[in-house]
């Protein structure tokens, strides 16, 4: 719609200009304005690329996040909680004794990646419909337990995200390592 209005103004001004040089100047100005308008990038849209990384530490674990993400600490009752926000994504986390792995999830709705490396056990849960299902991670150090059933662990999740955002979140989850 805006382009049509611009063309209407262009035709009106050029046809009503008396001087040939003025007509050429007006034509050049309109072409430049049209190029600028159509080539403007939207800098306010969040980047969903896994580049320009920075390390964010959440208690015993460190993650590689794109640089626009920020850690926001919050007050928990029996655990360390907070959020990491950026690129239109809000990852909520809970680090403590009562943080448990995800259980009883439908394989029809979720892809579940379970892996162990060194003394770390990680579970990544990927909602097959990221707009409706959550995407989350549970990670724990098998050497850091209160007793045989209770580990001090970290759970992190997000909801209502796009497929591109989910891909970025999974990359962030896969970057998690235990701080030695």
């Amino acid at each position: 719609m805006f382009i049509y209005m611009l063309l209407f103004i262009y035709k009106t001004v050029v046809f009503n200009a008396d001087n040939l040089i003025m007509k050429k100047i007006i034509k050049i100005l309109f072409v430049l304005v049209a190029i600028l308008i159509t080539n403007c990038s939207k800098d306010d849209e969040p980047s969903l690329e896994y580049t320009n990384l920075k390390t964010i530490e959440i208690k015993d674990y460190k993650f590689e996040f794109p640089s626009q993400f920020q850690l926001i600490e919050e007050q928990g009752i029996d655990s360390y909680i907070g959020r990491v926000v950026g690129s239109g994504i809000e990852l909520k986390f809970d680090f403590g004794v009562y943080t448990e792995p995800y259980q009883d999830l439908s394989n029809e709705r979720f892809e579940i990646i379970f892996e162990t490396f060194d003394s770390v056990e990680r579970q990544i849960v990927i909602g097959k419909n990221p707009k409706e299902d959550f995407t989350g991670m549970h990670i724990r150090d098998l050497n850091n337990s209160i007793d045989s059933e209770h580990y001090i662990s970290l759970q992190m999740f997000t909801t209502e995200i796009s497929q591109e955002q989910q891909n970025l979140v999974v990359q962030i989850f896969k970057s998690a390592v235990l701080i030695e």
Side-chain angles (χ1 to χ4, degrees), residues 30-162:
F30 270 95
V31 168
L32 289 174
V33 167
I35 289 171
L36 286 174
I37 289 172
T38 58
N39 288 334
C40 286
S41 64
K42 296 181 180 179
D43 292 334
D44 57 342
E45 285 188 13
S47 171
L48 296 175
E49 294 182 18
Y50 192 63
T51 57
N52 195 18
L53 304 176
K54 71 176 183 182
T55 301
I56 293 180
E57 293 182 5
I58 300 175
K59 290 294 184 184
D60 295 350
Y61 302 94
K62 63 181 177 179
F63 297 82
E64 296 299 320
F65 281 87
S67 62
Q68 68 270 22
F69 279 77
Q70 298 297 318
L71 174 66
I72 300 168
E73 297 175 322
E74 297 177 352
Q75 184 64 44
I77 296 171
D78 58 3
S79 60
Y80 172 59
I81 65 169
R83 300 174 287 140
V84 183
V85 296
S87 295
I89 302 167
E90 178 181 63
L91 287 163
K92 296 179 182 178
F93 67 84
D94 183 354
F95 179 86
V97 177
Y98 301 109
T99 305
E100 296 291 328
Y102 298 103
Q103 297 176 2
D104 302 322
L105 299 173
S106 164
N107 287 332
E108 293 174 12
R109 291 181 56 194
F110 297 96
E111 176 186 351
I112 301 166
I113 302 169
F114 187 82
E115 52 196 357
T116 303
F117 51 95
D118 300 325
S119 65
V120 175
E121 184 178 83
R122 177 172 54 206
Q123 175 195 42
I124 298 175
V125 177
I126 304 167
K128 292 185 178 175
N129 183 346
K131 288 282 186 194
E132 294 180 12
D133 298 321
F134 77 94
T135 300
M137 179 198 66
H138 177 266
I139 189 167
R140 63 184 170 188
D141 178 5
L142 298 174
N143 293 330
N144 191 3
S145 65
I146 301 295
D147 55 42
S148 63
E149 294 182 23
H150 296 96
Y151 292 87
I152 299 173
S153 58
L154 172 67
Q155 190 178 76
M156 186 180 290
F157 74 95
T158 187
T159 58
E160 299 176 15
I161 56 175
S162 70

